[in-house]
Amino acid sequence: MTKQFGAFTAVKDVNLTVRRGTIHALIGPNGAGKTTCFNLLTKFLNPTRGRIMYKGRDITLTKPADVARLGLVRSFQISAVFPHLTGLENVRIALQKARGDSFDFWRSKALLRQYDGRARELLDDVGLTNFVDTHAVEMPYGRKRALEIATTLALDPEMLLLDEPMAGMGHEDIDRIAALIKRIAANRTVLMVEHNLNVVSNLSHTITVLTRGQILAEGDYAKVSQNPQVQQAYLGAGHA
């Protein structure tokens, strides 16, 4: 894939293959082109050149909502939950996807409660058992990100794309979300954007390192961490 914005080339000739059933990390210093790649894959941007294939299907010109319906679902770098709804209510809204294009904001509580059981299961899965009735705005930052992952899982994705799920977190929250990602990846494919090599060291099967919009290195942690160019890029970025 190549993506140009006028004379500026944000992504240049990036050839990325994500294997089914793996956790694949797309990492690099700030400004490396990670989020642009993510936006290309999820169709929030169209490539200047190149094709995007998903399960043998060309989705280069497919709309974002249609890509999601195919099972390719993303989270965002900035938390995208409803702040004044509870954990249960947030997940319940996502579960309404099963009804097609209709949402039950104004329906009876009895109709909405049909989703409660599954919503509670998803909240349990992400460690939010005690936050069912807590409004999202009142949750600690790390718990709010876990809630976002729960709402994403409610869409039953086959491939989950996580955009810096640990951004702004302390060590305790990072460890919790890393364990969560490993757990939910048991029967899914995960592609995650991250900037910190250490965060993905024990999490990812494959790591692709970007710098200046191009692939610098690719492989498992042992391989990429020993690459002199990767070490130089991360020493320069303060992430050795």
Side-chain angles (χ1 to χ4, degrees), residues 10-104:
V11 171
K12 182 178 181 181
D13 298 327
V14 170
N15 187 9
L16 186 68
T17 300
V18 180
R19 290 179 289 118
R20 187 191 303 270
T22 65
I23 301 176
H24 192 125
L26 185 63
I27 75 165
N30 291 332
K34 305 181 300 296
T35 297
T36 300
C37 278
F38 224 52
N39 287 334
L40 290 168
L41 292 173
T42 52
K43 307 310 302 124
F44 286 81
L45 291 173
N46 287 320
T48 305
R49 294 189 303 276
R51 290 195 306 159
I52 301 167
M53 306 294 293
Y54 176 61
K55 296 171 60 177
R57 175 174 177 171
D58 190 331
I59 62 168
T60 309
L61 300 178
T62 304
K63 295 179 180 179
D66 294 328
V67 168
R69 291 188 185 98
L70 292 174
L72 191 68
V73 177
R74 72 173 290 178
S75 71
F76 291 85
Q77 187 173 351
I78 299 173
S79 184
V81 295
F82 293 100
H84 298 294
L85 296 181
T86 66
L88 181 70
E89 290 167 338
N90 267 282
V91 179
R92 196 166 60 185
I93 286 174
L95 286 169
Q96 289 179 57
K97 170 185 175 288
R99 294 178 60 88
D101 294 327
S102 67
F103 286 86
D104 296 320

Side-chain angles (χ1 to χ4, degrees), residues 100-200:
D101 294 327
S102 67
F103 286 86
D104 296 320
F105 289 105
W106 315 118
R107 302 293 184 89
S108 70
K109 288 186 177 180
L111 185 60
L112 291 174
R113 287 194 184 109
Q114 68 179 294
Y115 304 108
D116 284 3
R118 179 58 181 150
R120 290 177 184 275
E121 289 177 0
L122 287 166
L123 289 167
D124 289 345
D125 287 345
V126 301
L128 294 179
T129 305
N130 296 326
F131 292 83
V132 170
D133 297 317
T134 303
H135 291 87
V137 71
E138 299 170 356
M139 293 182 184
Y141 182 73
R143 302 293 186 167
K144 194 180 298 182
R145 298 311 300 263
L147 177 60
E148 183 183 356
I149 292 175
T151 61
T152 306
L153 292 175
L155 301 177
D156 197 24
E158 185 172 355
M159 182 172 178
L160 186 62
L161 298 103
L162 303 174
D163 191 359
E164 297 207 24
M166 304 171 203
M169 291 186 184
H171 289 298
E172 181 180 343
D173 282 334
I174 285 175
D175 292 343
R176 182 185 296 115
I177 296 297
L180 168 60
I181 291 170
K182 186 172 289 189
R183 188 164 68 250
I184 64 178
N187 57 352
R188 294 178 182 87
T189 303
V190 174
L191 175 65
M192 60 182 292
V193 164
E194 185 48 64
H195 72 274
N196 194 322
L197 185 60
N198 293 329
V199 166
V200 300

